[in-house]
Amino acid sequence: MNHELEGWRRYGVVFGGGVAAAFVCSAAVPFLVASTGTIGPTALQAQSPLTALAAMIILFALAAGLSGLVGRYVNAAVGLFVLGAGLWALRLQSATAVDLAFAEGSLVLAAVETAMWGVLVLGGTAIVFRIAGRLTDILPADNSTATPWWKRHGLPGAACGVLVLPGVWLFARSPLQGQTLMAVVMGAMAAGLVGRLVSPHAQPVLLFAMPCFFGAAGSLVAAMTVSGPLADAVVNGTLPVLSLPMPIDYAAGSLMGVSMGLGWARGFLHHEE
């Protein structure tokens, strides 16, 4: 059950939750040290991949629990935005695709890790919804028992996660952390908006993770188009655009962008009392 706050208390809870989530997620930075001795962009290509993955999972679960508490006093979508903001703090301290290339890293492993983040985001979304409760502005269809299961669970809306790819294609013009992250946010915002309109009566639990899965697929296809050393592709300016966002870009951008898209969609929908 939500205990929604108003005014300054609401903003205080959101701000405090964002700071706490950022602090927790940033604790994973030391585990991302790559073979070069510097902070890398992925966990699978860190010096100790298993340790890095374990740290990521534990810290992300803790941040999800904190974000769920924020959602309990505001709503689940805001809680997931706070979780994404925590990952944003981690992303701004990690490396880029250029660093990955010069460290002789693998774009294929980066794509695999993006898919793994999709699983983590799905689990984090489930935790936040479990603590915060359903979004009260999304009303079930009157004939929900007769609605096909794939519509009840919002699969048509979740499929709109594919819109993250044109967002990345349009807005990711350089490998800089801020730009790649905002490109994912823009694409995920479109996914949240259209997904909410396509499945207006389904709780968007699946939708938050889908940009990660589609991003992983796009990254994998892009990786297969690169021949020769990655460093040469960087120097020649032939590194594919869809390879520029790193896995944490997709995780943070999906959570923040879909949350914003859902809020935007409220202006296009109206439920009768």
Side-chain angles (χ1 to χ4, degrees), residues 217-239:
S219 298
L220 183 60
V221 171
M224 296 174 66
T225 66
V226 179
S227 59
L230 285 180
D232 290 349
V234 172
V235 172
N236 297 329
T238 58
L239 195 65

Side-chain angles (χ1 to χ4, degrees), residues 77 135 137-138 154 156-164 184-200 202-204 206-211 253-269:
L135 292 173
D137 63 316
I138 299 180
C160 295
V162 72
L163 293 176
V164 72
V184 176
V185 169
M186 297 299 291
M189 189 188 306
L193 170 63
V194 179
R196 175 76 168 88
L197 298 179
V198 170
S199 297
Q203 294 291 319
L206 297 176
L207 181 55
F208 283 92
M210 292 310 294
S254 296
L255 288 165
M256 298 176 69
V258 170
S259 298
M260 295 165 67
L262 292 175
W264 188 12
R266 295 176 67 176
F268 295 88
L269 295 168

Side-chain angles (χ1 to χ4, degrees), residues 5-263:
L5 302 177
E6 299 295 338
W8 64 270
R9 293 183 181 86
R10 177 188 180 99
Y11 296 110
V13 167
V14 173
F15 178 78
V19 171
F23 178 80
V24 171
C25 291
S26 295
V29 171
F31 298 96
L32 295 179
V33 175
S35 59
T36 57
T38 59
I39 304 299
T42 68
L44 287 181
Q45 299 177 74
Q47 287 182 351
S48 302
L50 293 180
T51 303
L53 285 175
M56 284 281 197
I57 293 171
I58 293 171
L59 292 170
F60 182 74
L62 180 57
L66 292 172
S67 301
L69 293 177
V70 173
R72 187 172 180 83
Y73 288 98
V74 187
N75 63 60
V78 173
L80 288 164
F81 180 90
V82 166
L83 181 57
L87 287 179
W88 189 339
L90 172 60
R91 176 64 187 107
L92 294 180
Q93 300 175 71
S94 60
T96 67
V98 172
D99 300 288
L100 181 69
F102 284 108
E104 299 182 352
S106 169
L107 291 178
V108 173
L109 280 179
V112 171
E113 186 168 330
T114 301
M116 294 172 64
W117 268 113
V119 176
L120 287 177
V121 168
L122 184 59
T125 303
I127 290 173
V128 171
F129 269 86
R130 178 67 177 175
I131 297 173
R134 59 184 292 274
L135 292 173
T136 56
D137 63 316
I138 299 180
L139 304 179
D142 294 335
N143 59 342
S144 58
T145 56
T147 304
W149 67 270
W150 50 275
K151 283 190 176 182
R152 288 202 304 270
H153 293 283
L155 291 184
C160 295
V162 72
L163 293 176
V164 72
L165 295 179
V168 170
W169 183 269
L170 288 172
F171 296 106
R173 298 293 93 190
S174 79
L176 295 175
Q177 292 102 322
Q179 187 168 139
T180 54
L181 180 57
M182 287 309 300
V184 176
V185 169
M186 297 299 291
M189 189 188 306
L193 170 63
V194 179
R196 175 76 168 88
L197 298 179
V198 170
S199 297
H201 299 292
Q203 294 291 319
V205 177
L206 297 176
L207 181 55
F208 283 92
M210 292 310 294
C212 290
F213 292 119
F214 283 111
S219 298
L220 183 60
V221 171
M224 296 174 66
T225 66
V226 179
S227 59
L230 285 180
D232 290 349
V234 172
V235 172
N236 297 329
T238 58
L239 195 65
V241 173
L242 293 181
S243 295
L244 297 181
M246 291 290 95
I248 303 176
D249 282 315
Y250 279 106
S254 296
L255 288 165
M256 298 176 69
V258 170
S259 298
M260 295 165 67
L262 292 175

